[in-house]
Amino acid sequence: MLGDHPLPALLSFLGQLLNGLVPLTTYGATHLVTRRRGVALFAAFLVALPFFFPAYYATWGRMTQVTAVLILPMALAFTWLLLRGARNWYRAWPLVALFGAGLFLVHFRVFFLYLPFAALVWLVSRGRRGRWLALAAGLALLLVAPHMLRLLGYVRPQTVGGTIPGYNDFPIGYVTVGWERVFLMIAALAAVLLLVAMLGRRSWTPLPLLLLGWVLLVGALLSVDRLGLPGTDLVNLNSSYIVAFVPLALFLAIMIGRAWRWLSQRHRLLDALLLLAAGASLTAALLFGLRQQVTILNEATILAWAPDMPGLAWLDDNLPDEATIAVNSWRWLGQTWAGGDGGAWIVPLTGRNSTTPPADYIYSAPLARQVRQFNEEAAARSDWSDPAAAAWLKEQGVSHIYVGAKGGFFEPADLARNPALQQLYSCLL
């Protein structure tokens, strides 16, 4: 609003800005709980470059979730310090309330993932400073109460039990990309070392142990449907995994920092070898991370190409407001269809109706059935040059067809041969 920039272009920059800020809050949180600058820098480095997340958020446009992830590290740090920090940290309870309320208002999924952490810290602390945590919870509830009251007016209770087939499948594709497996294997090795240190009653073990327990607890709670128990569609394993890089960065930074301190005190020769190994590892991670960031975008999720921009502008200027436009789509998740090319932007950019509006149409059962039926029948048609195809589109209430540069089941060559259709606009760049 201040700069009068086109919203689509501005959002692209905003997403990258949010991604760039996550390492800063990761640094701040790690420094708060460890008081070690090197450990905090290493955690921020992991998030900024070699980790696959949060950079991959840019390929979806999950800007609300990455905004909540931006808050999450500080929420974890202040919750930990409120219950486990020095005596004066009890004064941080209003900040814990602010972070908790902010998480809920920005993205409820991240908020629900945060709750088990707060509960675990309280349990591990044996109820220590529980009244301050209760005060924080009460203030957070007060802060979100106006929004909650407004929501109660039109939101129905969420169904449970995995209503979307495959919705809670583990996202194994994220584990096999980049160096994710390497980081997870290092974390598994660090977990073994952590158990050894815990048996030795090391004073620094509670926080990394709690981070590990938190991730395992969330995974277990989200996997109860495997046991035949009722689950929930509010949060799934996919949405939790794409947030897990936050505890992973903190955990690895703390454990590697502790291993460095222990090894660097052994012998000068070992010290030199350790420095060489660390330098080589960081250089490799830096070069890999730079390469990964440059190629992070998934072309399958880039919907608007250069020819679509003037096409959408022409559509906005020339089609009647009551037009209903048929667009290419693809089956995205379960029975949910999503726009597959530039036509996906028709509703948000022009306000016209389309056969596949943005994916939150699924929250209207009648609209969801209508969209699903249209796309299933359209995808099954093999010849759009047949006048019967044009008649069918008219029966569906369609007044126009938009085929973006990326394309889909609407074949431009077939549409051009259909005598019942007239081409109004074409743009090739």
Side-chain angles (χ1 to χ4, degrees), residues 378-399:
R381 286 187 173 271
S382 57
D383 184 10
W384 289 102
S385 64
D386 187 350
W392 176 77
L393 287 171
K394 189 174 183 179
E395 290 172 4
Q396 306 302 310
V398 171
S399 60

Side-chain angles (χ1 to χ4, degrees), residues 50-52 172-189 241 248 252 288:
F51 275 10
F52 193 63
I172 192 66
Y174 295 148
V175 177
T176 57
V177 71
W179 284 9
E180 293 296 291
R181 284 170 294 184
V182 174
F183 291 122
L184 291 175
M185 286 188 289
I186 295 173
L189 177 60
Y241 185 86
L248 180 62
L252 288 178
F288 166 78

Side-chain angles (χ1 to χ4, degrees), residues 211-422:
L211 290 169
L212 181 63
W214 173 41
V215 172
L216 294 176
L217 175 63
V218 168
L221 291 174
L222 294 179
S223 301
V224 295
D225 58 331
R226 270 68 170 174
L227 303 176
L229 299 174
T232 177
D233 288 341
L234 288 173
V235 187
N236 62 359
L237 289 171
N238 182 85
S239 61
S240 66
Y241 185 86
I242 64 177
V243 174
F245 72 89
V246 173
L248 180 62
L250 268 68
F251 179 78
L252 288 178
I254 292 171
M255 293 304 300
I256 291 176
R258 285 292 168 177
W260 178 278
R261 289 184 67 181
W262 185 83
L263 290 172
S264 63
Q265 297 170 359
R266 301 299 101 182
H267 192 277
R268 287 185 178 179
L269 178 59
L270 184 60
D271 232 3
L273 293 175
L274 189 62
L275 285 170
L276 285 173
S281 300
L282 286 173
T283 301
L286 172 66
L287 294 176
F288 166 78
L290 290 172
R291 179 179 179 275
Q292 178 171 255
Q293 299 302 319
V294 171
T295 59
I296 198 71
L297 290 179
N298 182 350
E299 287 198 4
T301 60
I302 300 176
L303 303 182
W305 295 83
D308 289 305
M309 305 310 291
L312 291 169
W314 182 92
L315 183 153
D316 193 25
D317 292 337
N318 293 276
L319 295 194
D321 293 341
E322 63 275 11
T324 297
I325 304 158
V327 299
N328 287 305
S329 305
W330 61 292
R331 194 188 300 270
W332 167 54
L333 180 65
Q335 298 299 314
T336 303
W337 289 75
D341 61 10
W345 285 96
I346 287 176
V347 173
L349 292 187
T350 74
R352 271 71 169 186
N353 293 326
S354 80
T355 52
T356 308
D360 55 2
Y361 74 81
I362 62 172
Y363 294 114
S364 168
L367 184 57
R369 286 193 295 270
Q370 176 185 330
V371 172
R372 181 170 65 249
Q373 179 180 352
F374 174 88
N375 281 290
E376 287 177 349
E377 294 186 27
R381 286 187 173 271
S382 57
D383 184 10
W384 289 102
S385 64
D386 187 350
W392 176 77
L393 287 171
K394 189 174 183 179
E395 290 172 4
Q396 306 302 310
V398 171
S399 60
H400 299 79
I401 304 170
Y402 181 93
V403 182
K406 187 176 180 181
F409 48 68
F410 284 118
E411 177 54 51
D414 289 346
L415 294 173
R417 292 196 302 271
N418 193 319
L421 298 176
Q422 177 185 359

